Amino acid sequence: MPKQFFDLSYSILNINQMKYNFLGNTGLLVSELCFGTMTFGGKGYWENIGKIQQQGVNELMQVVIDSGINFIDTANIYSYGESETLLGQSIIDLGLNRNELVIATKVRGPMSDKPNDVGLSRYHIFNSVDDSLKRLQMDHVDILYVHGADLRTSVEETMRALNDIVITGKVRYIACCNWPAWMVMKAQGIAEKYGWNKFIGLQYFYSLSGRDIEREILPLAADQNLAVFPWSPLAGGFLSGKYSRDGDKAGARRDAFDFPPINKEKSYDIIDVITAVGEQHGVSAAQVALAWVRLQKDITSTIIGAKNVEQLKDNLQSTTIELSADELKKIDEVSALEKEYPQWMVERQGTGR
């Protein structure tokens, strides 16, 4: 049994090389890396991201568990339910203890061409959770994310439905993905007003090629004590080391699915820097990019994915990298956001206080 210890000064638990951070103010501990299952299945356009079937899923999941990761992320929309099905069966096949895992799924995306099989209405939320639990072969999920905004459903109705689904016991916590900051705060205010369950965390695109959440989302999270879970920390594979100005590597994910949108010229500059830093450490550019995200203030758990065991193990090694102040400065400078209004005015006016 590996030695375990609890350090109150940092509120972090260490087991081997994996660290565990508190999820907001819930008291729940999650691994600093979260395993994302978007590559499971391969139905429809999700085939462009990954099409791993049960045997491959089981192999990846065994490595995930052996590494100390206890946080697994899926979504109903990933391969239209296949990801959830494969994940649930893998937990059974490997004989994993469900109570030692934190399982998150999502609701929002269209699951069929039926008119009410999409969105954040009470109707769809309740139906979607029941369907997800059947596919996962579980009686509850630990975290349910709203997977995006539904501008045709009131925030109040959505928050009421989310509160009620928690009360049923089918969902332990609720969280948010891809909403604008004002909408998150509106939702938290409504929940506060009525004594409903609030969002406990935020899942947003965050990488060296996409630092946009530093403007509004990260300050919101810090102010409201919300956990932050970055998705696509390698910018859809662009920072994986497969891409350079000299030519793109064939067979990479972005060849068929060029998402999320990024400034590629700026990203090539970033790749030059993280490749050089990686060479100093004897590691890949991908590991440096993942380490940078992990080391940012207020990041709770970074979501990683993989198409094969080799790729997964490479990503896992990012937890062992410690970047020097000089290396962090170089990486920050090449990837920095341009200051927008009113950000620059707030900073200017705050200098005398």
Side-chain angles (χ1 to χ4, degrees):
M1 179 67 67
K3 180 181 178 181
Q4 302 182 14
F5 64 89
F6 185 58
D7 185 342
L8 287 171
S9 63
Y10 293 98
S11 297
I12 293 175
L13 181 70
N14 274 50
I15 299 179
N16 293 336
Q17 295 176 344
M18 189 64 62
K19 296 179 182 176
Y20 297 77
N21 299 324
F22 278 116
L23 195 159
N25 60 2
T26 66
L28 181 66
L29 285 162
V30 294
S31 48
E32 62 183 330
L33 292 182
C34 172
F35 183 60
T37 65
M38 194 185 293
T39 57
F40 293 3
K43 186 176 181 180
Y45 73 86
W46 298 98
E47 182 179 0
N48 296 317
I49 299 171
K51 47 187 177 182
I52 305 172
Q53 298 305 305
Q54 196 66 63
Q55 181 177 346
V57 168
N58 291 358
E59 291 173 357
L60 287 172
M61 283 294 294
Q62 188 63 64
V63 174
V64 164
I65 298 305
D66 291 344
S67 75
I69 290 177
N70 73 341
F71 191 13
I72 314 296
D73 181 82
T74 188
N76 59 343
I77 194 66
Y78 295 165
S79 290
Y80 304 102
E82 284 190 7
S83 175
E84 290 179 323
T85 298
L86 291 163
L87 171 61
Q89 188 60 48
S90 179
I91 291 171
I92 293 171
D93 289 348
L94 297 176
L96 303 180
N97 186 339
R98 169 67 181 89
N99 291 331
E100 293 178 356
L101 301 175
V102 178
I103 305 295
T105 193
K106 306 179 185 74
V107 57
R108 163 62 178 86
M111 295 298 291
S112 73
D113 58 1
K114 305 300 181 184
N116 289 310
D117 206 8
V118 61
L120 295 176
S121 68
R122 182 183 187 86
Y123 178 98
H124 183 60
I125 288 171
F126 271 70
N127 287 348
S128 179
V129 169
D130 284 343
D131 290 342
S132 288
L133 292 178
K134 289 176 184 176
R135 289 188 290 262
L136 288 163
Q137 302 183 66
M138 298 176 185
D139 60 7
H140 75 278
V141 293
D142 300 295
I143 300 173
L144 178 69
Y145 291 97
V146 289
H147 206 174
D150 176 4
L151 302 180
R152 303 307 298 265
T153 302
S154 71
V155 175
E156 184 168 334
E157 164 152 344
T158 296
M159 294 307 292
R160 175 63 183 269
L162 292 172
N163 177 72
D164 290 351
I165 201 73
V166 171
I167 292 173
T168 67
K170 296 176 181 180
V171 172
R172 298 286 170 83
Y173 301 102
I174 56 173
C176 181
C177 183
N178 302 325
W179 280 19
W182 70 264
M183 190 175 288
V184 176
M185 280 307 304
K186 180 176 182 178
Q188 297 296 77
I190 289 171
E192 175 75 21
K193 177 181 178 180
Y194 293 110
W196 296 341
N197 285 277
K198 295 181 178 181
F199 293 138
I200 51 81
L202 307 172
Q203 185 179 137
Y204 284 73
F205 171 46
Y206 189 43
S207 76
L208 284 168
S209 293
R211 295 175 58 177
D212 306 75
I213 66 171
E214 292 176 5
R215 293 194 171 103
E216 298 289 344
I217 298 298
L218 288 184
L220 181 159
D223 181 72
Q224 296 295 306
N225 195 20
L226 294 168
V228 179
F229 315 114
W231 61 263
S232 203
L234 296 180
F238 202 84
L239 302 178
S240 65
K242 297 178 180 179
Y243 293 89
S244 69
R245 284 191 177 86
D246 299 331
D248 296 344
K249 181 177 179 180
R253 167 180 156 183
R254 277 187 174 267
D255 294 344
F257 189 64
D258 196 13
F259 183 86
I262 58 173
N263 181 332
K264 292 183 179 178
E265 282 305 311
K266 181 177 181 179
S267 294
Y268 285 133
D269 293 336
I270 294 169
I271 290 169
D272 290 341
V273 173
I274 63 175
T275 298
V277 171
E279 289 173 352
Q280 293 297 315
H281 289 263
V283 301
S284 66
Q287 289 181 34
V288 175
L290 290 172
W292 180 89
V293 173
R294 173 179 58 85
L295 293 170
Q296 297 310 293
K297 183 181 178 182
D298 299 322
I299 298 303
T300 306
S301 185
T302 304
I303 302 170
I304 61 169
K307 291 184 178 180
N308 54 63
V309 169
E310 181 182 7
Q311 188 181 67
L312 174 58
K313 288 182 177 180
D314 186 77
N315 289 346
L316 289 169
Q317 286 300 310
S318 67
T319 60
T320 67
I321 300 172
E322 293 298 332
L323 301 174
S324 69
D326 182 61
E327 289 169 335
L328 285 170
K329 181 180 179 182
K330 290 178 181 178
I331 296 171
D332 284 338
E333 288 176 349
V334 73
S335 63
L337 292 172
E338 292 185 10
K339 290 186 179 359
E340 292 185 344
Y341 178 83
Q343 179 189 14
W344 56 259
M345 182 60 82
V346 171
E347 291 182 3
R348 178 185 177 92
Q349 292 178 326
T351 55
R353 297 291 291 170

